[in-house]
């Protein structure tokens, strides 16, 4: 097979998988059937496109093939009598081949329904909307494939048995339910982002999937400022990914990152998205976080820590949390000095971030800057013990040695 | 779709309610029942006597064993139920959220296994 056709199928997969599945879910009301038919359609494409050429509208071609497959299956199922109900569901919608723009949005809300466990929401979104295989999802979340397969089967069964609808929620629930969709996308992004680069490409690919789905959501909900804010936030973080890790795979802290490695085009798109969000005039936590991330990717000059501290104040007003208190303390320590920062850290409720390595890490930095070296070493040691990745542990160990020397 | 809405709450708290509070609750339930019947979703429902009036029955080796109490000791006890006919889970959740007991206890929404 020519690489050109292979690339076309791969492109179509990324662009069309979610659409084909969503359309088939509308037509059949059955998530499993929709996925199987979509899979068949892509397999058929791999067979036929090299021979017949790439169709002018790959998406429509794939949807038609998948739909015909659904009809075949329904016909065969009638012979088996037991599945007669499925046919009844399949028949009425047939004939409408093109995607209804809301299909994918409905499917997103179905996958991220609060009646499903959060981890099931995440897995379903990757399977049905991004087209990742069960084994890829399992590897990305570091669980055995059988566990992930079970999780997906259970979630789909619950959708069917409990009557979780395939609809965009009405106005009273829309804000809350949109927040659930955004939370799933942000978790996907963070899972991929926290994976050290190169170590596991499947995990890293979650950031790309999250951004891709974020873009889709912005097309489907153009008036939703938090969707734009989340996309901008992900883009700003992603723009720094080349600068985040050095050649040895060690973590480079923000202050030491080489700005020439930042991806200018991605930053520009992030700014566009953030501006569009802010123009809608309805602020929210993702927009504020994106504004903070925007401060960190400024091309030149000193980072404006006073502005960042002010934005954290804003964020704390909208969504108070101890993590925000900590980040604000760090920003203040860099704009007003380490003493002011330490005073703010002392105000964080002691139990709130007990297992969060970034709290002692931040304290260590402030103590180091104040010349309180032995206290700083102790804080770095504590942070090292709580850290979750090797890259972070190596970084904290280096810091500890510096102040212990 | 039909759903069973199980109303669970803390019985001992309910027993310590004043007569006025008790009456207010009964009125709220009457109001809920009326609204939902008018809307056409309500198919049935009852308030249950306390778990201290419950008897659990098992048949083992052909022998009927009746014991005092519910089948599980829990913090919240089943206090009543409704059977509702709803479009989908979203509507069932909306109906469940209007049950007065949802504010103090919890409502379990169970799809009915239609045969």
């Amino acid at each position: 097979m020519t690489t050109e056709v292979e690339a076309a199928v791969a492109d179509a997969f990324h662009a069309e998988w979610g659409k084909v599945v969503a359309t088939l879910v509308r037509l059949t009301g059955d998530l499993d059937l929709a996925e199987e038919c979509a899979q068949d359609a892509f397999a058929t494409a791999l067979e036929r496109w090299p021979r017949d050429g790439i169709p002018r509208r790959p998406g429509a071609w794939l949807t038609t093939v998948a739909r015909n497959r659904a009809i075949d299956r329904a016909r065969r199922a009638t012979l088996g009598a037991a599945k007669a109900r499925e046919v009844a569901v399949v028949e009425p919608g047939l004939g409408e081949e093109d995607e209804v723009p809301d299909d994918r949005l409905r499917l997103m809300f179905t996958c991220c329904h609060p009646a499903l466990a959060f981890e099931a929401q995440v897995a379903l979104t990757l399977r049905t909307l991004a087209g990742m295989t069960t084994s890829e999802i399992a590897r990305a979340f570091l669980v055995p494939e059988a566990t992930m397969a079970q999780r997906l089967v259970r979630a789909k069964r619950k959708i069917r048995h409990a009557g979780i609808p395939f609809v965009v929620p009405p106005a009273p629930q829309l804000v809350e339910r949109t927040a659930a969709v955004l939370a799933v996308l942000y978790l996907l992004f963070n899972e991929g982002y926290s994976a050290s680069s190169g170590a596991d490409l499947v995990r890293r690919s979650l950031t790309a999937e999250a951004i891709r789905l974020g873009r889709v959501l912005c097309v489907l909900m153009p008036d939703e400022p938090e969707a734009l804010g989340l996309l901008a936030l992900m883009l700003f973080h992603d723009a720094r990914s080349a600068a985040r890790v050095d050649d040895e795979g060690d973590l480079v802290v923000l202050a030491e990152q080489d700005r020439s490695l930042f991806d200018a085009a991605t930053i520009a798109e992030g700014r566009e998205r953030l501006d569009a969000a802010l123009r809608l005039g309805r602020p929210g936590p993702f927009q504020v976080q994106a504004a903070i991330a925007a401060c960190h990717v400024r091309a030149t000059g000193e980072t404006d820590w006073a502005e960042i501290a002010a934005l954290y104040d804003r964020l704390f007003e909208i969504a108070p949390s101890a993590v925000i208190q900590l980040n604000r303390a760090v920003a203040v320590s860099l704009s007003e000095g380490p003493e002011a920062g330490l005073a703010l850290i002392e105000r964080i409720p002691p139990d709130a971030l007990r297992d969060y390595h970034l709290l002692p890490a931040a304290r260590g930095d402030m103590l180091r800057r104040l010349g309180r070296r032995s206290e700083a070493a102790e804080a770095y040691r504590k942070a090292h013990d709580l850290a979750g990745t090797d890259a972070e542990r190596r970084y904290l160990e280096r810091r500890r040695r510096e102040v212990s020397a | 779709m039909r759903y069973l809405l199980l109303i669970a709450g803390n019985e001992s708290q309910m027993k310590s309610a004043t007569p006025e509070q008790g009456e207010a609750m009964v009125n709220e339930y009457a109001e809920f029942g009326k609204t939902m019947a008018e809307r056409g979703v309500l198919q049935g429902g009852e308030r249950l006597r306390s778990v201290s009036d419950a008897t659990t029955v098992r048949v083992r080796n052909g022998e009927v064993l009746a014991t005092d109490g519910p089948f599980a000791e829990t913090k919240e006890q089943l206090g009543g139920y409704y059977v509702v006919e709803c479009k989908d889970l979203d509507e069932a959740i909306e109906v469940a959220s209007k049950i007065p007991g949802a504010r103090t206890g919890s409502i379990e929404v169970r799809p009915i296994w239609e045969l």
Side-chain angles (χ1 to χ4, degrees):
Chain A
M1 184 187 315
T2 65
T3 46
E4 192 204 342
V5 175
E6 268 174 29
V9 176
D11 282 353
F13 190 82
H14 282 312
E16 310 291 349
W17 169 272
K19 278 191 216 169
V20 176
V21 172
T23 306
L24 266 286
V25 171
R26 171 168 50 84
L27 297 178
T28 67
D30 184 325
L31 209 54
D32 271 325
L33 185 66
E35 264 175 32
E36 281 163 28
C37 295
Q39 220 149 24
D40 286 349
F42 280 95
T44 311
L46 278 173
E47 245 169 63
R48 292 222 201 122
W49 292 7
R51 196 182 67 211
D52 305 345
I54 299 158
R56 210 164 42 84
R57 294 171 60 211
W61 189 96
L62 289 161
T63 306
T64 306
V65 172
R67 175 185 145 270
N68 290 338
R69 193 86 186 109
I71 297 174
D72 284 350
R73 283 181 170 238
R75 286 204 186 114
R76 248 179 296 143
T78 21
L79 302 177
K83 287 197 171 177
R85 203 177 136 258
E86 246 169 47
V87 189
V89 188
V90 173
E91 296 294 1
L94 295 180
E96 312 161 39
E97 285 180 25
D98 282 342
E99 190 206 24
V100 173
D102 271 0
D103 279 350
R104 263 185 304 174
L105 189 58
R106 289 196 197 105
L107 190 53
M108 278 193 195
F109 280 110
T110 305
C111 291
C112 302
H113 198 283
L116 299 168
F118 188 61
E119 51 191 23
Q121 297 176 23
V122 169
L124 265 183
T125 301
L126 284 174
R127 179 74 200 106
T128 64
L129 285 149
M132 275 174 77
T133 65
T134 305
S135 101
E136 284 170 338
I137 303 169
R139 262 185 292 150
F141 286 92
L142 313 173
V143 300
E145 188 173 339
T147 309
M148 188 52 77
Q150 260 256 318
R151 197 178 287 174
L152 283 164
V153 166
R154 274 204 197 125
K156 286 182 204 159
R157 193 167 52 209
K158 175 148 188 196
I159 289 175
R160 201 165 53 240
H161 287 168
I164 292 178
F166 180 57
V167 292
V168 173
Q173 286 115 46
L174 192 59
V175 172
E176 208 184 313
R177 296 282 308 278
T178 304
V181 173
L182 297 175
V184 165
L185 296 191
Y186 195 39
L187 175 117
L188 290 183
F189 182 83
N190 281 326
E191 282 292 325
Y193 199 64
S194 63
S196 52
S197 95
D200 193 329
L201 284 174
V202 175
R203 259 169 92 64
R204 284 288 298 155
S205 73
L206 291 178
T207 59
E209 294 299 352
I211 290 174
R212 221 191 313 269
L213 290 172
R215 286 206 179 98
V216 170
L217 190 62
C218 288
V219 171
L220 298 172
M221 301 184 89
D223 297 328
E224 176 47 58
E226 282 291 273
L228 288 160
L230 172 62
L231 179 56
L233 176 62
M234 296 193 291
L235 290 167
F236 289 139
H237 282 321
D238 195 50
R240 291 196 287 109
S241 59
R244 254 178 96 236
V245 186
D246 66 16
D247 297 338
E248 277 82 56
D250 276 351
L251 211 61
V252 182
V253 286
L254 191 53
E256 291 163 13
Q257 287 173 6
D258 177 357
R259 282 169 191 246
S260 69
L261 294 175
F262 290 3
D263 179 344
T266 304
I267 293 172
E269 191 196 343
R271 286 194 199 291
E272 245 170 67
R273 302 289 190 169
L274 180 56
D275 287 345
L278 297 176
R279 274 199 298 276
L280 291 166
R282 280 174 285 140
F286 281 121
Q287 294 168 75
V288 181
Q289 288 177 79
I292 293 168
C295 293
H296 289 309
V297 291
R298 258 179 213 147
T300 52
E302 292 285 295
T303 306
D304 187 346
W305 288 105
E307 188 188 343
I308 292 174
L311 285 165
Y312 274 119
D313 271 342
R314 189 76 207 282
L315 190 54
F316 191 78
E317 278 167 30
I318 304 175
S321 84
V323 173
I324 295 167
Q325 274 181 292
L326 173 61
N327 288 327
R328 183 166 165 270
V330 172
V332 167
S333 82
L334 293 167
S335 65
E336 293 172 29
E339 245 154 21
L342 265 184
L344 289 174
I345 281 195
E346 303 306 330
R347 272 199 248 156
I348 297 172
D351 279 351
L353 298 176
R354 211 177 11 198
D355 298 327
Y356 192 53
H357 67 287
L358 293 179
L359 175 75
R363 261 192 96 234
D365 284 338
M366 293 175 202
L367 291 163
R368 174 178 52 84
R369 287 168 59 211
L370 286 167
R372 290 156 68 174
R373 297 166 66 102
S374 63
E375 287 169 88
E378 175 57 22
Y380 284 131
R381 191 195 53 73
K382 210 170 152 191
H384 172 274
D385 294 348
L386 293 170
T389 67
D390 286 340
E392 283 174 314
R393 275 191 287 271
R394 279 197 299 275
Y395 167 78
L396 289 161
E397 178 57 20
R398 205 170 72 223
R399 281 298 202 198
R400 192 189 64 77
R401 282 213 205 100
E402 277 166 21
V403 290
S404 306
Chain B
M1 283 187 62
R2 289 195 305 153
Y3 297 87
L4 176 65
L5 309 181
L6 296 157
I7 306 159
N10 189 318
E11 263 185 16
S12 53
Q13 263 173 28
M14 254 177 282
K15 275 179 194 150
S16 62
T18 64
E20 293 78 36
Q21 285 169 332
E23 202 191 312
M25 191 191 74
V26 169
N27 289 338
E28 280 185 59
Y29 271 96
E31 182 62 31
F32 170 84
K34 191 166 160 270
T35 312
M36 291 304 159
E38 280 167 9
R39 201 168 122 178
V41 296
L42 207 60
Q43 294 202 332
E46 301 290 348
R47 180 179 183 177
L48 302 179
R49 294 264 183 208
S50 149
V51 285
S52 58
D53 296 329
T55 306
T56 300
V57 177
R58 298 177 179 83
V59 178
R60 296 290 181 272
N61 303 321
E63 194 186 347
V64 176
L65 303 164
T67 48
D68 175 43
F71 47 68
E73 295 289 344
T74 47
K75 268 190 217 137
E76 292 186 319
Q77 294 79 29
L78 187 61
Y81 72 90
Y82 289 106
V83 175
V84 293
E85 169 74 44
C86 292
K87 186 161 60 68
D88 52 36
L89 183 64
D90 281 354
E91 188 181 13
I93 290 172
E94 185 254 318
V95 171
S97 74
K98 302 232 159 75
I99 297 177
R103 296 196 304 271
T104 48
S106 30
I107 314 297
E108 188 170 312
V109 179
R110 295 283 291 268
I112 284 174
W113 192 319
E114 305 285 1
L115 295 173

